[in-house]
Amino acid sequence: MRSYSLLAPAKINLYLEILGDRPDGYHELVMVMQSIDLADRIELRANGTDQFRVHCDHEQVPADQSNLAYRAAELMSQQFPEAFARYGAVDITIDKQIPVGAGLAGGSTNAAAVLVGLDMIWELGLTQMEIQELGALLGSDVPFCIVGGTALATGRGEKLDGLPDLENMHLVLAKYRSLSVSTPWAYKTYRQQFGASYLCQPGDLECRRQQVHSGPMIHAIAHRDEAQIGKLLHNDLEKVVLPEYPQVANLRQVFQRFGTLGTLMSGSGPTVFALVISQEQAQQLLTQVRATIPDPDLELWTAKFIPAGIQVAKP
Ligand code: C5P
């Protein structure tokens, strides 16, 4: 087939713990990642040339090499020059539904879709693990976006262990349209403020074991204990982002006021989400938050957990 339409879901972090520095300059992390049904639609269409082209009508999405989806296509052409020569480049059309610069892996999931789509268009027959390894070259969240569902992510975030699906938990997401947080800034600031508490010796397993506190969350997920999952939501990056962005801290407080299972900032923010147990509750919560903060700059969505990453879209 010469064209594919793919669904590229966003992710949230149910848990994000920073253990310390890595020799490659990144941070050693323990995260629980979750796919949600807020998704972009990516169309890949063979264009009969040797030039990849990105089309997206969202003003914050670039069409050049700074777009991770474009870089994913370039990476594939470098890795598989024969297939590229035979089948040529593609037009990549992004129907953007996931907010940009939001902590929801919008760019990473678009790149993941390009890897999966080109594997099919170029008839490469790669395994999911091979596609994930290519994804890790583009960004720490790309491997998770490929496989999706519920997973424990360690290392830079690229080492994945599947966890039992939490299908059908519901949530409300909130983000100020005009606000975005730089992920490198968030990690750099965290290092400046909390670097003294980092892992003593990277590679020292005993030291690492003492630093990791994700056990109770994994246990709650294994038992699908929704109340506990809500209570155990944790994100170390809140410690630097919330003081710098009082609007985000306020959003979190507003969610807490309405008796949700729990609320948290996703990734490096600034999106905040709150977990609830039904679609009706999600809709009611959205209405309550909208009434409390009538600011037109505030965007709100209801969504639910899904058990998959990149999927071929139904026509
Ligand atoms: O991997 P990715 O390009 O998405 O990461 C964006 C930035 O987030 C990195 O440049 C780095 O500053 C920070 N980061 C980090 N440690 C990680 C993942 C990301 O310091 N494990």
Side-chain angles (χ1 to χ4, degrees):
M1 214 195 307
R2 306 295 287 149
S3 75
Y4 276 98
S5 188
L6 299 137
L7 280 178
K11 64 88 189 157
I12 55 169
N13 298 87
L14 301 177
Y15 189 87
L16 190 162
E17 185 175 3
I18 299 175
L19 301 184
D21 272 323
R22 294 164 51 91
D24 59 11
Y26 281 72
H27 283 84
E28 186 72 15
L29 304 176
V30 176
M31 300 190 283
V32 176
M33 319 274 264
Q34 175 64 53
S35 303
I36 59 173
D37 67 350
L38 176 63
D40 292 340
R41 209 179 171 103
I42 313 288
E43 194 194 72
L44 300 185
R45 186 173 291 277
N47 64 19
T49 78
D50 60 359
Q51 295 295 315
F52 294 106
R53 292 186 295 241
V54 174
H55 310 275
C56 181
D57 56 14
H58 191 296
E59 59 190 16
Q60 286 168 279
V61 177
D64 60 13
Q65 278 161 342
S66 61
N67 189 315
L68 204 57
Y70 184 95
R71 294 217 294 278
E74 270 197 335
L75 175 69
M76 290 295 274
S77 68
Q78 287 154 8
Q79 296 280 328
F80 305 101
E82 283 171 24
F84 180 47
R86 179 161 175 213
Y87 294 98
V90 292
D91 277 11
I92 302 164
T93 306
I94 303 172
D95 174 8
K96 199 84 202 117
Q97 302 297 323
I98 305 170
V100 176
L104 298 174
S108 299
T109 194
N110 293 173
V114 170
L115 298 180
V116 171
L118 280 179
D119 171 53
M120 294 190 293
I121 289 179
W122 291 354
E123 301 185 274
L124 296 168
L126 299 174
T127 63
Q128 192 175 63
M129 187 56 80
E130 286 166 338
I131 303 176
Q132 284 181 46
E133 281 166 13
L134 291 167
L137 300 173
L138 295 163
S140 309
D141 287 344
V142 180
F144 172 76
C145 291
I146 293 162
V147 54
T150 310
L152 179 69
T154 53
R156 211 159 46 92
E158 86 291 11
K159 286 189 204 144
L160 301 173
D161 290 293
L163 291 170
D165 286 334
L166 288 172
E167 246 176 295
N168 283 324
M169 280 188 79
H170 295 261
L171 68 156
V172 177
L173 299 135
K175 178 185 178 287
Y176 286 98
R177 203 186 315 262
S178 60
L179 208 64
S180 60
V181 174
S182 149
T183 304
W185 169 85
Y187 279 102
K188 194 177 84 193
T189 309
Y190 193 91
R191 181 183 281 121
Q192 280 162 2
Q193 291 185 18
F194 301 100
S197 68
Y198 279 8
L199 262 182
C200 22
Q201 291 290 333
D204 177 342
L205 282 180
E206 180 55 24
C207 181
R208 183 186 165 99
R209 197 181 61 75
Q210 286 171 15
Q211 295 265 54
V212 177
H213 300 99
S214 55
M217 175 58 99
I218 307 296
H219 187 266
I221 291 171
H223 291 85
R224 212 199 144 94
D225 184 340
E226 291 162 345
Q228 275 299 102
I229 292 168
K231 280 194 196 129
L232 293 166
L233 294 174
H234 175 83
N235 181 353
D236 272 338
L237 290 173
E238 284 191 336
K239 294 179 207 161
V240 291
V241 177
L242 298 189
E244 187 72 21
Y245 297 90
Q247 272 177 304
V248 182
N250 181 53
L251 256 184
R252 213 178 169 300
Q253 279 168 9
V254 169
F255 270 134
Q256 265 163 350
R257 227 186 278 163
F258 292 114
T260 65
L261 291 171
T263 178
L264 192 73
M265 183 183 81
S266 183
S268 57
T271 304
V272 173
F273 67 87
L275 299 185
V276 291
I277 50 176
S278 69
Q279 165 63 23
E280 292 72 36
Q281 282 186 8
Q283 196 52 54
Q284 190 187 358
L285 178 62
L286 184 147
T287 308
Q288 286 167 319
V289 175
R290 169 62 67 216
T292 311
I293 312 177
D295 186 344
D297 194 42
L298 181 67
E299 291 191 284
L300 292 158
W301 300 261
T302 61
K304 68 174 194 296
F305 290 11
I306 54 168
I310 305 300
Q311 302 148 73
V312 176
K314 295 194 184 86

